[in-house]
């Protein structure tokens, strides 16, 4: 075995391609989109060394063109879940004993494969399966996932380097970071391919084995991620990819003695149910499971009377409506000083009128479809109720159509009541609610923002007045885990803004940082004494 203290390549953020007309990347991405639409593939589960197909099939259709079939996928049963756990545990000994630099090399290679030969295939899969436009796919499934892989390798080495600062003469103190004892369950969402790739891979990077279930609406891109991991040299059984009924999968996972942790992104309700189940089953486990989760958000933008109107309007539009408001960080409630409202309203409505909505394959569309019919129906219900409620004015949008795709117009509500339903409940779609406050009531508005929602994921304040910025930053310190000054409340970048929130938004373990990786190891302290004592007595025992 090779010996050495190895330095890994210094991570830098992956450059974002522009996909401008006439560019090579635009041509290649359009070709990948056409290739994806030209055939129907059958997606397997990946369990151990096998690709597993079943007779029970699910369908993958583009949210913006739901009559077009992209793929079928094999639904698993409880038996398949047990097989995935067995495969993970069978792979565990060899994987955790593999030198860390060999693990690092696999995921660094995966990053280069995404940056190179798989970039357009993975972006196209995200655009088709999750209805993201070219830019939103690029910053997600290419750049962010690449960044996760490269930066996590660097964070891993920093963790391993952390050692006790003192070893007195005659002894040597050291710490090793062990993988968790058992397997980890990764449960990933539809809205970010990067999250779907990061949640299982960062756990595996630290020497753990994983059972991974993605959201059904993200399976099309998840399959490509698994192909990339396999080509990068990930051994069989280290990450096992399964699909199926959530409660059935949970019944097996959370009852297993070797369950060691969950890495989760999804809804608050599901996460709370999982936590409750783990608590009820705590006596069954060999070790206390690690519970790491990022859930919902009711993210805010606060506009002070000193704010720049154009900065405010742009931050609101991008923060609320990029990827149809389906980012955990998306702005869904905005508080605007009365003195700025007329100017911001004019700019916002002007820009909203220029947004095109339609399929992702047409690169001129800023707005695409929401993820599925369930989401569409939920959003339509909120919009219909807003049309009936007194004290609510719809100043933009308000229309929707699911005949071809699940399209909801970017909708802006202005409300008289700062505690109105859409100011407090998570909608997860292109519906923004605005409350206009009196400039003199800035302090009161800070209190309202802090107490309106159970969530605390992201937030932003826009102002030129430094005293106002300082007051908002201090007063809202618990209202958002990621806080932005004079910017939108979305767009966290790996290596720059570690992401996560507290309160109802999760455990705030900060994906994209060393903090998260520390959750997937269990340290062991080792003290070695070179010349140990041979007499039990101490000097104080001697007679005077």
């Amino acid at each position: 075995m090779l010996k050495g203290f190895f330095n890994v390549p210094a991570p830098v953020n992956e450059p974002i391609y522009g996909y401008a007309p006439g560019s090579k990347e635009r041509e290649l991405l359009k070709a990948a989109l056409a290739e994806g639409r030209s055939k129907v593939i059958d997606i397997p589960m990946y369990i151990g060394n096998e690709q597993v197909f079943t007779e029970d099939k699910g369908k993958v259709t583009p949210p913006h063109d739901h009559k077009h079939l992209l793929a079928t996928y094999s639904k698993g049963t409880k038996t398949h879940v047990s097989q995935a756990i067995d495969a993970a545990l069978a792979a565990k000994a060899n994987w955790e004993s593999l030198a860390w630099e060999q693990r690092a090399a696999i995921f660094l290679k995966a990053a280069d494969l995404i940056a190179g030969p798989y970039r357009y295939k993975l972006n196209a899969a995200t655009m088709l399966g999750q209805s993201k436009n070219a830019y939103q796919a690029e910053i997600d499934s290419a750049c962010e996932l690449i960044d996760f892989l490269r930066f996590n390798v660097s964070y891993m080495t920093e963790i391993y380097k952390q050692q006790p600062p003192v070893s007195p003469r005659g002894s040597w103190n050291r710490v090793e970071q062990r993988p968790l004892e058992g397997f980890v369950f990764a449960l990933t969402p539809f809205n970010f391919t990067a999250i779907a790739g990061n949640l299982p891979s960062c756990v595996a990077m630290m020497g753990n084995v994983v059972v991974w279930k993605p959201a059904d609406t993200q399976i099309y891109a998840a399959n490509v991620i698994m192909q990339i991991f396999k080509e990068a040299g990930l051994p069989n059984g280290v990450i096992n990819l399964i699909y199926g009924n959530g409660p059935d999968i949970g019944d097996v996972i959370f009852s297993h003695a070797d369950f060691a942790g969950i890495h989760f992104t999804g809804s608050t309700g599901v996460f709370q149910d999982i936590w409750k189940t783990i608590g009820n089953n705590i006596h069954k486990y060999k070790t206390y499971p690690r519970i790491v989760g990022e859930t919902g958000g009711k993210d805010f933008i606060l506009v002070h009377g000193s704010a720049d109107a154009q900065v405010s309007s742009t931050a609101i539009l991008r923060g609320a409506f990029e990827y149809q408001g389906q980012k955990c960080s998306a702005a869904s409630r905005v508080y605007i000083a009365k003195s700025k409202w007329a100017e911001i309203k004019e700019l916002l409505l002007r820009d909203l009128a220029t947004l095109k909505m339609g399929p992702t394959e047409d690169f001129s569309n800023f707005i695409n479809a929401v993820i599925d019919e369930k989401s569409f129906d939920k959003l339509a219900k909120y919009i219909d109720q807003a049309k009936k409620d007194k004290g609510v004015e719809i100043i933009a949008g308000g229309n929707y159509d699911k005949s071809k795709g699940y399209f909801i117009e970017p909708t802006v509500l202005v409300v008289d009541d700062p505690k109105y339903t859409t100011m407090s409940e998570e909608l997860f779609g292109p519906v923004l609610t605005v409350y206009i406050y009196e400039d003199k009531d800035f302090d009161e508005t800070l209190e309202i923002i802090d107490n309106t929602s159970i969530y605390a994921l992201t937030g932003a304040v826009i102002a030129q007045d430094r005293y106002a910025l300082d007051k908002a930053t201090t007063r809202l310190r618990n209202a958002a885990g990621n806080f932005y000054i004079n910017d939108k409340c979305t767009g966290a970048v790996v290596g720059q803004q570690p992401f996560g929130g507290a309160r109802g938004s999760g455990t705030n373990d900060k994906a994209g940082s060393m903090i998260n990786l520390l959750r997937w190891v269990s340290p062991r302290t080792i003290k070695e004494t070179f010349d140990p004592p041979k007499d039990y007595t101490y000097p104080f025992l001697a007679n005077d």
Side-chain angles (χ1 to χ4, degrees), residues 2-247:
L2 295 175
K3 303 292 184 184
F5 295 99
F6 303 111
N7 292 324
V8 299
V12 294
N13 293 114
E14 177 69 11
I16 301 170
Y17 290 5
Y19 298 95
S23 65
K24 184 66 173 178
E25 67 262 22
R26 188 183 182 101
E27 175 188 340
L28 291 170
L29 182 55
K30 288 204 166 189
L33 288 165
E35 172 72 10
R37 290 187 65 98
S38 70
K39 58 189 177 183
V40 178
I41 63 172
D42 191 17
I43 298 173
M45 292 183 287
Y46 295 81
I47 299 175
N49 63 352
E50 296 184 11
Q51 295 186 19
V52 178
F53 296 89
T54 65
E55 295 298 318
D56 188 10
K57 301 291 186 183
K59 294 181 178 181
V60 178
T61 62
H64 51 272
D65 186 11
H66 53 62
K67 293 183 174 63
H68 179 84
L69 185 63
L70 289 169
T72 59
Y73 63 91
S74 293
K75 295 182 180 181
T77 65
K78 289 184 176 183
T79 298
H80 294 109
V81 182
S82 295
Q83 290 171 351
I85 294 171
D86 290 344
L89 296 175
K92 182 172 176 58
N94 286 338
W95 178 244
E96 70 176 35
S97 64
L98 188 67
W100 69 263
E101 69 270 16
Q102 302 298 337
R103 284 187 267 119
I106 291 169
F107 293 107
L108 290 173
K109 181 173 181 177
D112 275 15
L113 289 174
I114 297 168
Y118 277 91
R119 189 184 206 106
Y120 305 106
K121 182 176 182 178
L122 187 55
N123 280 352
T126 300
M127 293 172 71
L128 292 171
Q130 293 143 258
S131 203
K132 286 200 172 188
N133 62 38
Y135 179 76
Q136 293 299 315
E138 169 72 8
I139 61 176
D140 167 22
S141 49
C143 297
E144 187 171 19
L145 183 49
I146 293 166
D147 287 351
F148 273 132
L149 294 166
R150 290 176 176 162
F151 277 86
N152 282 345
V153 164
S154 180
Y155 297 142
M156 175 177 66
T157 67
E158 291 178 31
I159 290 171
Y160 289 153
K161 288 176 183 176
Q162 293 178 7
Q163 294 295 316
V166 176
S167 289
R169 183 182 297 276
S171 66
W172 182 14
N173 296 319
R174 51 195 190 265
V175 168
E176 67 167 340
Q177 300 289 354
R178 302 167 297 178
L180 303 184
E181 197 172 7
F183 70 94
V184 174
F185 181 40
L187 189 55
T188 63
F190 79 84
N191 57 338
F192 279 92
T193 295
I195 296 175
N198 178 55
L199 266 56
S201 66
C202 73
V203 175
M205 190 180 293
M206 302 308 294
N208 298 284
V209 289
V210 184
V211 176
W212 170 27
K213 182 200 177 299
D216 291 349
T217 41
Q218 199 272 326
I219 287 173
Y220 193 61
N223 180 58
V224 181
I225 292 172
M226 200 65 188
Q227 292 173 354
I228 293 166
F229 287 163
K230 290 291 188 182
E231 186 168 334
L234 186 71
N236 294 325
V238 172
I239 297 177
N240 301 272
L241 179 56
I242 60 172
Y243 326 117
N245 178 267

Side-chain angles (χ1 to χ4, degrees), residues 188-398:
T188 63
F190 79 84
N191 57 338
F192 279 92
T193 295
I195 296 175
N198 178 55
L199 266 56
S201 66
C202 73
V203 175
M205 190 180 293
M206 302 308 294
N208 298 284
V209 289
V210 184
V211 176
W212 170 27
K213 182 200 177 299
D216 291 349
T217 41
Q218 199 272 326
I219 287 173
Y220 193 61
N223 180 58
V224 181
I225 292 172
M226 200 65 188
Q227 292 173 354
I228 293 166
F229 287 163
K230 290 291 188 182
E231 186 168 334
L234 186 71
N236 294 325
V238 172
I239 297 177
N240 301 272
L241 179 56
I242 60 172
Y243 326 117
N245 178 267
D248 285 347
I249 292 173
D251 284 347
V252 179
I253 295 283
F254 301 125
S255 296
H256 201 288
D258 288 299
F259 171 66
I262 180 169
H263 205 189
F264 174 91
T265 297
S267 75
T268 300
V270 171
F271 190 54
Q272 290 180 351
D273 285 344
I274 287 171
W275 198 302
K276 186 185 301 182
T277 300
I278 292 171
N280 289 335
N281 290 340
I282 200 70
H283 60 286
K284 297 181 179 180
Y285 308 132
K286 293 178 180 177
T287 186
Y288 290 107
R290 303 290 173 90
I291 306 175
V292 177
E294 189 258 296
T295 61
K298 191 63 186 173
D299 309 302
F300 63 86
I301 295 177
L302 169 62
V303 180
H304 184 257
S306 67
D308 181 291
Q310 186 65 69
V311 168
S312 303
S313 176
T314 300
I316 292 166
L317 188 151
R318 284 186 168 183
F321 299 123
E322 287 185 329
Y323 191 43
Q324 298 76 258
Q326 295 176 123
K327 300 181 181 183
C328 302
S329 56
S332 60
R333 52 182 175 128
V334 176
Y335 304 80
I336 301 178
K338 189 174 182 179
S339 63
K340 304 302 298 185
W341 172 233
E343 187 179 3
I344 292 172
K345 178 181 178 181
E346 180 181 355
L347 293 169
L348 184 61
L349 294 181
R350 179 200 69 187
D351 289 344
L352 283 171
T354 68
L355 299 186
K356 288 185 61 182
M357 182 169 65
T360 59
E361 294 87 332
D362 180 349
F363 284 24
S364 67
N365 291 322
F366 187 94
I367 301 292
N368 310 114
V370 296
I371 191 63
D372 58 18
E373 188 170 22
K374 180 181 178 182
S375 177
F376 177 94
D377 290 345
K378 173 186 174 182
L379 292 162
K381 183 178 178 181
Y382 276 103
I383 292 171
D384 288 345
Q385 186 62 48
K387 291 176 180 177
K388 300 174 185 177
D389 289 341
K390 293 180 180 179
V392 181
E393 180 187 6
I394 299 179
I395 64 170

Side-chain angles (χ1 to χ4, degrees), residues 405-475:
Y406 303 115
F407 291 106
I408 305 272
E409 280 186 348
T411 298
V412 180
L413 314 178
V414 180
V415 298
D416 294 338
D417 180 5
K419 297 294 182 74
Y420 180 69
T421 304
T422 59
M423 291 292 280
S424 56
E425 294 183 12
E426 186 184 41
L427 274 63
F428 222 65
V431 179
L432 174 70
T433 308
V434 177
Y435 173 70
I436 314 303
Y437 69 92
E438 297 288 343
D439 289 51
K440 64 181 178 61
D441 294 333
F442 183 67
D443 288 4
E444 180 184 332
T445 303
L446 293 175
E447 188 73 20
I448 291 170
I449 292 171
D450 194 37
N451 294 311
T452 293
S453 166
I454 66 168
Y455 299 105
L457 190 53
T458 75
V461 58
I462 302 176
Q464 296 298 326
D465 183 332
R466 180 52 63 174
Y467 289 110
L469 289 173
D470 178 61
K471 181 179 288 187
T473 302
T474 301
R475 178 65 188 83

